[in-house]
Amino acid sequence: MPTLRLPPLPNIREILKMYHLRAMKQLSQNFILNENLTDKIIKKAGILSDCHVIEVGPGPGGLTRSIIKREPEKLIVIEKDKRFKPSLEMLADAFAAVNGKMEIIFDDVMTFHMENVLPSTETKTWTDKCPRIKIIGNLPFNVSTPLIIKWLRAISEKTGPWKFGRTRMTLTFQKEVAERLTAEPLDTQRCRLSVMAQAWTQPILHFIIPGTAFLPKPDVDVGLVTFVPLTVPRTKHEFAIFEKVTRHIFSFRQKYSIRGIETLFPAEYRTELGQMMYKLADLDPQRRPMTLTVEDIDSLVSAYKYLLEKYPNLKFYEYRTSRHIISLSQAKNIEVVECTN
Ligand code: SAM
């Protein structure tokens, strides 16, 4: 694939030295210095020419440089740490020298409204091919799981960058998280995250990047995942209720899945309503959580909704274990309950 020739620039190691940039642990900063690796990562994001690309957490700009070489229509980077201003501006200037457009935004990706920086002219209908918008990021580990849950919800609601159609994202995760996101039924890694990701997208695990490729080296390896939003989601239900039922199912991973389902109901009705859910869903209550497909869980959600309609008070029931943390509760003279699901 042809790549753009940029004016000569210092490499990332030199940039870190020039601007005295040291990785900050509290922002989960682990930089990729090897340009061959950043090129390989960006290749997996697909065609970028003519696209509006949003990069999350560009840091000193390793991946950013590889994105620019693929000539996007416009690159928007969202970074929390203002120390990277000079190095990102240097890249923006180099891109501008070859008529490229790069916008640098210092903000928190958890709260930033990406839809406000994307042009409505790129909007496609959901069933059309993907819009010319891509989200890319070597995500900070400390926000990657809440962020993907937030974005899966946005996909299910067709809000944020998914207002424009089936926007693809290519992101890094801690290896275990990447494997969970893509785990199929019967895989030992199968969990709530697998089901949630696969209900609305097709997650593809491209490859594992060894921790040694980062500076500083994190304790874990890293997986690169692309999420392609599904034209037809594998569930017809809303995100919140689907997530709730999935969470309960996986709250007792090693037991029969009915064990977790029962905790949707107050103790006195658990056995009866749990059995009823499986009858309505036409499923064997002895199935283990990790064997259930997205469609099986969709049927259980339909059954749960039916019971909620029949017994509206059930929706106010929230399961909590009463595992008291003795020392703390005694010290403060309060009951401390810990939610395990
Ligand atoms: N993209 C660079 C690379 O691959 O070398 C840096 C990756 S580093 C793992 C994560 C980056 O995300 C850091 O630059 C960090 O400052 C930034 N970051 C952390 N939390 C963020 C947040 N909530 N919003 C935006 N950026 C954030």
Side-chain angles (χ1 to χ4, degrees):
M1 213 175 278
T3 58
L4 182 70
R5 278 188 88 80
L6 290 171
L9 286 166
N11 65 33
I12 297 298
R13 195 179 287 278
E14 288 162 348
I15 285 179
L16 292 176
K17 222 170 159 187
M18 263 165 70
Y19 296 110
H20 309 289
L21 296 167
R22 278 176 163 268
M24 281 168 70
K25 217 175 175 173
Q26 61 272 38
L27 285 177
S28 297
Q29 292 177 343
N30 304 96
F31 308 132
I32 307 177
L33 306 187
N34 183 328
E35 200 165 333
N36 289 333
L37 177 58
T38 54
D39 286 349
K40 189 174 158 194
I41 292 171
I42 295 309
K43 214 169 162 189
K44 293 294 180 193
I47 296 168
L48 300 187
S49 57
D50 301 337
C51 281
H52 277 71
V53 177
I54 297 187
E55 189 198 355
V56 181
L63 281 177
T64 320
R65 190 178 296 209
S66 295
I67 296 172
I68 285 175
K69 287 198 291 182
R70 304 283 298 282
E71 288 185 79
E73 168 71 26
K74 183 171 180 188
L75 171 60
I76 301 145
V77 298
I78 305 164
E79 172 56 62
K80 200 169 178 180
D81 186 349
K82 288 200 172 133
R83 293 179 308 147
F84 297 117
K85 192 166 185 270
S87 57
L88 292 172
E89 281 177 348
M90 185 195 295
L91 278 173
D93 290 345
F95 195 26
V98 288
N99 297 321
K101 283 176 262 174
M102 173 170 156
E103 185 178 347
I104 306 166
I105 296 166
F106 288 99
D107 213 322
D108 185 338
V109 67
M110 290 301 286
T111 49
F112 184 73
H113 288 277
M114 293 193 275
E115 64 275 26
N116 294 344
V117 293
L118 294 166
S120 55
T121 46
E122 291 301 332
T123 308
K124 295 261 190 297
T125 59
W126 195 259
T127 46
D128 208 343
K129 58 180 190 190
C130 295
R132 292 179 303 181
I133 298 170
K134 298 264 164 68
I135 300 173
I136 300 177
N138 175 16
L139 287 172
F141 295 149
N142 60 345
V143 290
S144 60
T145 306
L147 194 57
I148 194 61
I149 290 284
K150 180 179 149 91
W151 284 351
L152 288 169
R153 179 191 284 268
I155 292 174
S156 78
E157 293 167 351
K158 303 189 174 93
T159 55
W162 295 279
K163 212 169 87 173
F164 302 83
R166 291 180 300 114
T167 300
R168 290 179 183 216
M169 354 177 223
T170 300
L171 309 166
T172 55
F173 294 89
Q174 216 169 301
K175 176 176 171 269
E176 283 70 21
V177 177
E179 287 171 348
R180 280 184 213 142
L181 284 162
T182 51
E184 294 288 338
L186 296 181
D187 191 321
T188 50
Q189 303 269 48
R190 182 84 169 169
C191 66
R192 174 182 72 115
L193 208 51
S194 336
V195 175
M196 297 309 292
Q198 293 163 31
W200 283 279
T201 74
Q202 184 193 2
I204 304 158
L205 175 56
H206 297 295
F207 52 81
I208 301 295
I209 309 165
T212 47
F214 296 83
L215 184 82
K217 177 187 163 305
D219 295 333
V220 289
D221 292 339
V222 172
L224 181 70
V225 182
T226 290
F227 298 83
V228 185
L230 296 172
T231 316
V232 182
R234 292 171 68 187
T235 175
K236 53 195 165 301
H237 299 297
E238 305 77 27
F239 188 89
I241 194 161
F242 188 85
E243 193 276 334
K244 179 177 181 183
V245 173
T246 308
R247 180 164 26 96
H248 277 252
I249 288 172
F250 282 95
S251 59
F252 297 97
R253 288 182 56 79
Q254 306 302 335
K255 306 225 164 118
Y256 296 145
S257 56
I258 193 169
R259 191 64 196 85
I261 283 291
E262 283 174 345
T263 60
L264 287 164
F265 309 112
E268 59 272 39
Y269 307 114
R270 252 172 219 167
T271 312
E272 190 189 338
L273 293 182
Q275 289 290 344
M276 206 183 281
M277 285 260 300
Y278 281 77
K279 276 213 179 77
L280 287 165
D282 195 20
L283 284 171
D284 177 357
Q286 296 193 350
R287 295 267 301 274
R288 306 270 171 185
M290 65 184 234
T291 71
L292 295 173
T293 64
V294 174
E295 288 72 17
D296 292 333
I297 296 176
D298 180 68
S299 303
L300 285 166
V301 180
S302 299
Y304 182 51
K305 273 190 173 169
Y306 171 82
L307 293 178
L308 288 182
E309 256 178 45
K310 220 166 156 201
Y311 310 108
N313 280 348
L314 283 178
K315 70 168 169 287
F316 301 113
Y317 178 71
E318 275 300 330
Y319 175 74
R320 295 271 189 278
T321 60
S322 50
R323 266 206 279 144
H324 298 243
I325 303 168
I326 300 298
S327 56
L328 190 64
S329 60
Q330 282 172 342
K332 294 192 174 167
N333 199 22
I334 52 165
E335 185 192 31
V336 179
V337 289
E338 191 178 303
C339 179
T340 57
N341 54 7

